[in-house]
Amino acid sequence: CTRLPSRPIDAFHLALLTEGVLTLPGCHDFFLSFAHTDDHIDQVLDAAERVLDHYDIGSLVKAGRMR
């Protein structure tokens, strides 16, 4: 049985992974290097926008505040 992420940041990382963006789960930071081009950055931002448009991460944030 797979457990779904309970924290919004974890859900965001998992959703980004479905878009082909590998992040460090559990980390609130994103890291860039000189190896990343403007095109790479644009791809990550586009993926983040798709994730935020598709998934209701905001409701997870609100639900977490209610606990």
Side-chain angles (χ1 to χ4, degrees), residues 12 16 19 21 42-53:
F12 184 62
L16 280 176
E19 292 291 327
V21 177
D42 288 341
Q43 290 173 11
V44 170
L45 293 175
D46 289 344
E49 186 174 9
R50 285 191 301 274
V51 163
L52 294 173
D53 285 345

Side-chain angles (χ1 to χ4, degrees), residues 9-51:
I9 190 71
D10 295 333
F12 184 62
H13 282 284
L14 183 61
L16 280 176
L17 185 60
T18 67
E19 292 291 327
V21 177
L22 181 61
T23 62
L24 297 173
C27 183
H28 291 81
D29 301 319
F30 290 82
F31 301 96
L32 299 174
S33 74
F34 288 109
H36 293 102
T37 65
D38 288 346
D39 189 47
H40 292 131
I41 295 167
D42 288 341
Q43 290 173 11
V44 170
L45 293 175
D46 289 344
E49 186 174 9
R50 285 191 301 274
V51 163

